[in-house]
Amino acid sequence: MEEVIHIYHTNDLHSHLEHWPSIHKLVAERRRWHEGAGDEVFVFDIGDHMDRWHPLSDATRGKANCRLLNEAGYDAATIGNNEGITLPFEDLDSMYLEKDFELLVANLYYQDGSRPKWAKPYHVYISNSGTRIGVIGITVNFARFYDQLGWKLNDPIDELKHCVEKLKDETDVIILLSHLGIHDDEMIAGMFPEIDVILGGHTHHILHEGKEVGSSLLAGAGKFGYYTGHVTLKIDRDTKEILHKKAVLYDMNEADQAQDEREMAEAYFVEGKELMAETVAILPENLTADPLQHSELSKMLTQALREWCDADCAFMNAGMILKGLKQGNVTKFDLLEICPHPINPCTIRMSGAELKEVLLQTRDEKWPHLQIKGLGFRGTVMGVMEYDGIEFQPKGNYTQIFINGKLIEAKEHYTLAIPDMLTFGRFFPEIQRAEEKRYWLPEFLRNLIEWKLATL
């Protein structure tokens, strides 16, 4: 006799709630079907369900995302970097207090070494046939950022090893919820043959029929709710041996749509907008913005960046500002709309020689139209570079650079303020190599705009 276990999974929704009503409908209907047939059903989310670009997520600090998972009947979830490092400590620590599911994240601790009461490393489910199913959650190792926010994040592989050692003799099936990315998932499959299924996220990989690595089946459902994953396990009821594994993805653009899906998704947005209606400033005139032009708004943010970080100088790409602000009341929603990125200020201490090299690179003609994806960026193009405390003056065949009116000196050291996005990509090698970096958490760039507007 065979036992059938159905596992539905989502990952990296990033608060793109356009298809959430249909995902909710799918997992609820499938649960009824399968349970009616006597099969087991589990529904898991693999992290980054929340993203603070969406007003409902930002206004509720992720609590609305927890509510949505509750309403859809999820059994367990893990956290991604958007839950973990884009929220202040107090907000993450309270986000899941009203959850109806298991929150699994083996490598997250308070700094005193204890675990949050709302999280645990794994959970063991017992099926109606007595099959013991161990489910583990781990998240990507951005320990430096967690530490600055007041958390302790351990190495996920070390924590996974402890969990597998504990579960391998106490369970019949082990499932991993991994917000580490496809390359780590493949490595884990080779290191831990005891893990039967790895449900992945973080790198937004799409595995239409899964991927077998060693004895593990890997699955991933892309991003933004475009797909919902479904893994089916067939297990011998007596021996508990897995007889068959299968993975498929359902395209939510082609799936049976929830009634009034668009209206429901719009209602989530309107709910968040109303929660963010607080006025933060009153403008006497419009402040325009254009990524391909220098503007008062992008200049203001660059100045705020330098002042907030008490830096010698700053530069920023104008593409950070998506649109201008209109005369009159400016609300928290307006600031979210023009600057939706989960990007923090960052300062770098570097020599004048290194800084000069970086600043000369910023004048490359490729930057304004360069299209950017990832790195927390929610815009489209890099845009022109705005500077504060920095001046370029041509002299003969070369360019002189002045920092606060003084010619840059090669052996002097300067503190440069930039958006943290510019430290992650391959934009500026000197910045990537720099050892003295400070990330200013938990403030986003839009918080600096709010702060600057209040001083005008």
Side-chain angles (χ1 to χ4, degrees), residues 304-348:
L305 184 61
R306 180 183 62 79
E307 292 173 351
W308 180 270
C309 299
D310 193 25
D312 298 307
C313 55
F315 72 81
M316 183 199 76
N317 53 304
M320 286 289 177
I321 307 291
L322 304 193
K323 59 188 289 189
L325 291 171
K326 294 182 180 179
Q327 178 184 13
N329 287 353
V330 176
T331 67
K332 286 186 177 292
F333 174 77
D334 294 327
L335 298 184
L336 173 68
E337 198 172 30
I338 70 166
C339 196
H341 331 282
I343 290 176
N344 309 102
C346 177
T347 49
I348 300 165

Side-chain angles (χ1 to χ4, degrees), residues 417-441:
I418 56 173
D420 70 10
M421 178 189 85
L422 300 179
T423 71
F424 300 134
R426 298 180 179 177
F427 304 115
F428 305 105
E430 286 80 9
I431 287 177
Q432 213 170 24
R433 290 194 296 264
E435 294 183 1
E436 289 189 63
K437 294 190 186 86
R438 177 183 174 186
Y439 295 92
W440 294 66
L441 308 177

Side-chain angles (χ1 to χ4, degrees), residues 49-253:
H49 189 278
M50 185 212 75
D51 191 313
R52 288 180 59 186
W53 76 268
H54 194 288
L56 186 57
S57 297
D58 196 42
T60 66
R61 295 298 191 267
K63 293 180 179 65
N65 295 79
C66 182
R67 182 188 84 200
L68 295 176
L69 292 169
N70 282 343
E71 292 170 352
Y74 274 64
D75 294 287
T78 192
I79 66 170
N81 42 290
N82 271 271
E83 289 90 0
I85 62 173
T86 72
L87 290 170
F89 176 91
E90 297 79 9
D91 291 329
L92 176 57
D93 201 32
S94 60
M95 177 176 168
Y96 296 104
L97 293 181
E98 296 185 11
K99 64 180 174 58
D100 296 331
F101 51 89
E102 301 292 344
L103 197 288
L104 308 176
V105 54
N107 53 326
L108 180 69
Y109 295 86
Y110 291 131
Q111 290 195 333
D112 66 3
S114 63
R115 291 187 185 276
K117 63 182 179 181
W118 43 266
K120 58 196 219 181
Y122 59 82
H123 184 76
V124 178
Y125 298 89
I126 309 295
S127 76
N128 291 329
S129 299
T131 302
R132 302 166 300 173
I133 304 152
V135 183
I136 308 166
I138 50 176
T139 197
V140 64
N141 193 15
F142 290 166
R144 176 176 182 175
F145 301 98
Y146 279 91
D147 182 65
Q148 283 192 240
L149 288 166
W151 297 100
K152 179 183 178 185
L153 196 75
N154 285 359
D155 182 89
I157 305 302
D158 290 343
E159 293 290 343
L160 182 58
K161 183 177 180 180
H162 296 317
C163 293
V164 171
E165 281 295 317
K166 189 163 182 64
L167 290 177
K168 67 180 182 181
D169 295 324
E170 298 179 3
T171 58
D172 305 300
V173 177
I174 297 180
I175 298 169
L176 175 62
L177 314 184
S178 166
H179 196 87
L180 299 185
I182 182 63
H183 301 299
D184 280 12
D185 291 351
E186 292 172 343
M187 177 188 70
I188 287 168
M191 292 176 64
F192 300 97
E194 301 91 346
I195 299 176
D196 300 292
V197 178
I198 300 175
L199 306 176
H202 186 55
T203 46
H204 302 174
H205 47 285
I206 300 171
L207 301 176
H208 285 283
E209 296 179 346
K211 180 178 183 179
E212 291 189 10
V213 178
S215 57
S216 300
L217 174 65
L218 276 58
K223 65 177 181 178
F224 297 173
Y226 295 155
Y227 297 97
T228 299
H230 180 195
V231 171
T232 306
L233 303 180
K234 293 184 178 179
I235 298 174
D236 187 292
R237 288 181 183 269
D238 298 321
T239 66
K240 304 303 181 186
E241 177 188 356
I242 298 178
L243 304 174
H244 183 67
K245 303 176 188 176
K246 179 183 178 182
V248 297
L249 293 180
Y250 301 119
D251 187 331
M252 301 314 296
N253 283 305

